[in-house]
Amino acid sequence: MAHGITAVGGYLPLLRLDRKAVARELSWSGLPMPRAGTRAVAGWDEDSLTMAVEAARGLMADGPPAALRFASTSAYFTDRAQSAIAVDALALPRSTRSTDAANSRRAATGALLDALLGQASEIVTAGEKRQTQAGSAAQLAFGDGASAVRTGPDAAARLAGHATLSHDLVDRYASQDHPASYAYEERFVRDVAVAELLVPAIKAACADAGIAPSALAHAACAEPVAATWKAVARALGCPASNHCESVTAQAGDLGAAHALYGLGLAFAAAQPGDFVLLVGFGSGVDALVFEVLAPVPGAVDMAAGLAAGQPLTSYSRFLNLAGSVDLDWGMRSEFEQKAQATVLERIGRDMIGFVGGRDSLGNVQFPKSPMPVNPALDKPEVLEDVRLAELEATIVSVTADRLNYTPDPPFDFGLVQFDNGARVLMEMVDRPDGGFAVGQRVRMRLRIKSQNPRLGFRTYFWKAAPLARPQLGEA
């Protein structure tokens, strides 16, 4: 019974910014920036946590994991564990161990290696929505998204070898005083990264696996700068293509989530018996060699997710979504939503987990209440938990409101009915080109529900979204 990776998952936001359109709009500035491909753009109500939860949702087939690890360099809270919030959002038992990994783009690969060496059933999920400076190359090179890996017995891919080098190479950094990523000269970074970090670490990992680098069939290597893998592959005599390059071209550099998303693409292309290289980079290198034993669940879906999305050509809308501009939305936006810790403690787990209740007559309601809403019942009773987050629903009514404030108009909301009978008034997101319509089928997506910039706090809830996304080539 091989222990290793049992499944993978990924999530990319709906919108894809056309880099060429932005470069054309900024051509007057003469600023250097990527011009090819697209960049995944998170909605105003998405952050590293919501996307990491979305990536992990499909990894529950084997039941609850023993532990959940969250990795990010852009987590919103600095003194509140995102992993603990994710445990509630995924409706995992409170006994699930939860840890956060941060401060390095290889936080996710390090967490994955720890999970594999621990021989336990764990989920490692990583999400990024990094702050960038308008006009910078990073603003177009970076992307928003998430990836996740499940470890356990009966693995589809086993860890054959690994190596780690800790090296404080300052290729780029972000800090409290400079939250937007600052990058150093590319040639210097590439030369040092190849010779001092990547080549030695990959050689050591291959030696640990008992193979030569030439035996690697696929690679998922997070590059500090473009063309790094070509230099590494040439030095190693390795013919493997780097699947992270596809992620960079179509979604952008996903930070801590980048290598794991590339790993999903590598698994989708691999055959049983192939050796696959995973490389996380940032303040050192993690190099992991996997032997593919069987098709890896979730890998094909990650490849499909890379090709789905909605084109975005408006640079001003992108700047608004990225928080790079502060528009005057008028008096309707002048309100403050303050979350009370007492309320979160009392009903927060049911809210973020989207857990409703079924009464003794079978009626499902949300939220739960001591007295059922069913008029056929006239006494208090304890309702049976029903998780609505993983269920589909149908739109019963819908309003597209341009008077009510939202950072990305219009404000879509309406009544949705689940197949079990529950009816909930919900916000709607990922608006299709023709808008939402009565009778449309929807699924649930975890999003930011409210935020209080003055107090630095936000709450989360689920919103209704279309079941499927368009293919980018259809636009």
Side-chain angles (χ1 to χ4, degrees):
M1 182 185 299
H3 184 94
I5 292 177
T6 61
V8 293
Y11 175 80
L12 295 172
L14 172 69
L15 297 177
R16 302 294 176 83
L17 181 68
D18 185 343
R19 292 183 178 125
K20 184 180 293 184
V22 175
R24 187 183 304 118
E25 187 168 338
L26 293 177
S27 60
W28 59 269
S29 68
L31 293 170
M33 58 188 62
R35 295 175 179 269
T38 55
R39 181 222 202 270
V41 181
W44 72 267
D45 54 358
E46 294 183 285
D47 64 9
S48 59
L49 172 64
T50 65
M51 292 186 285
V53 168
E54 289 289 342
R57 287 175 68 184
L59 305 184
M60 301 299 166
D62 296 331
L68 184 143
R69 301 171 186 252
F70 171 86
S72 179
T73 65
S74 57
Y76 180 73
F77 291 103
T78 59
D79 188 11
R80 186 187 182 197
Q82 271 76 194
S83 58
I85 305 173
V87 164
D88 284 349
L90 294 167
L92 298 177
R94 282 271 170 86
S95 58
T96 304
R97 290 184 290 107
S98 59
T99 56
D100 287 24
N103 299 106
S104 169
R105 281 159 284 141
R106 66 180 173 100
T109 54
L112 174 60
L113 181 56
D114 287 343
L116 291 166
L117 295 178
Q119 298 278 303
S121 174
E122 300 190 17
I123 288 178
V124 176
T125 186
E128 294 281 25
K129 185 181 179 180
R130 292 181 284 179
Q131 182 175 336
T132 55
Q133 178 69 35
S136 67
Q139 188 166 60
L140 295 187
F142 286 4
D144 306 324
S147 53
V149 175
R150 177 82 185 248
T151 67
D154 299 322
R158 73 172 185 91
L159 179 65
H162 64 91
T164 294
L165 289 177
S166 296
H167 185 137
D168 185 29
L169 170 63
V170 187
D171 58 324
R172 65 169 60 248
Y173 72 89
S175 66
Q176 291 185 8
D177 293 328
H178 198 286
S181 184
Y182 185 92
Y184 281 94
E185 199 270 324
E186 289 191 2
R187 185 174 59 178
F188 154 73
V189 171
R190 185 184 299 109
D191 290 348
V192 175
V194 171
E196 302 296 330
L197 287 85
L198 290 165
V199 169
I202 295 171
K203 281 184 176 180
C206 288
D208 190 45
I211 64 170
S214 59
L216 294 169
H218 299 275
C221 176
E223 300 177 289
V225 294
T228 299
W229 174 250
K230 292 180 180 178
V232 170
R234 185 167 54 249
L236 293 172
C238 176
S241 58
N242 181 17
H243 291 270
C244 283
E245 293 177 359
S246 297
V247 184
T248 301
Q250 296 177 254
D253 183 337
L254 304 183
H258 196 67
L260 296 189
Y261 207 106
L263 181 64
L265 301 188
F267 283 153
Q271 299 295 322
D274 284 350
F275 286 96
V276 175
L277 173 69
L278 170 66
V279 178
F281 188 93
S283 300
V285 173
D286 293 318
L288 291 74
V289 176
F290 294 96
E291 181 185 7
V292 178
L293 306 176
V296 180
V300 173
D301 293 335
M302 292 179 73
L306 192 62
Q310 189 178 89
L312 174 64
T313 58
S314 171
Y315 185 47
S316 59
R317 185 184 176 197
F318 164 68
L319 291 176
N320 176 53
L321 292 173
S324 297
V325 294
D326 187 12
L327 299 179
D328 182 357
W329 292 100
M331 289 186 293
R332 289 186 178 88
S333 66
E334 296 173 0
F335 65 97
E336 188 172 282
Q337 296 172 295
K338 182 177 180 179
Q340 297 291 346
T342 52
V343 176
L344 293 176
E345 178 61 26
R346 186 169 67 253
I347 62 173
R349 185 168 167 83
D350 282 349
M351 291 294 108
I352 196 170
F354 208 177
V355 178
R358 179 182 286 110
D359 65 31
S360 57
L361 296 181
N363 183 66
V364 179
Q365 66 177 70
F366 181 88
K368 292 185 288 187
S369 59
M371 176 66 72
V373 299
N374 189 343
L377 297 171
D378 58 4
K379 295 180 180 179
E381 61 180 67
V382 177
L383 303 184
E384 175 190 354
D385 284 350
V386 178
R387 180 164 158 84
L388 300 176
E390 303 302 334
L391 304 180
E392 296 178 6
T394 302
I395 296 177
V396 176
S397 67
V398 61
T399 298
D401 190 346
R402 290 189 177 272
L403 294 179
N404 203 353
Y405 166 69
T406 176
D408 191 28
F411 178 55
D412 291 301
F413 66 94
L415 190 67
V416 303
Q417 179 164 327
F418 292 85
D419 295 342
N420 59 20
R423 285 193 167 201
V424 184
L425 184 65
M426 303 189 70
E427 295 180 38
M428 299 175 187
V429 293
D430 292 352
R431 173 180 242 263
D433 287 337
F436 292 97
V438 171
Q440 182 179 351
R441 296 288 286 178
V442 290
R443 59 171 300 173
M444 304 300 113
R445 297 283 193 190
L446 180 66
R447 296 296 177 96
I448 297 169
K449 174 61 177 175
S450 68
Q451 49 190 354
N452 188 321
R454 185 178 67 84
L455 295 178
F457 197 84
R458 58 182 53 165
T459 61
Y460 300 91
F461 188 57
W462 299 79
K463 301 180 182 181
L467 290 184
R469 289 179 171 179
Q471 294 297 300
L472 285 168
E474 295 175 355

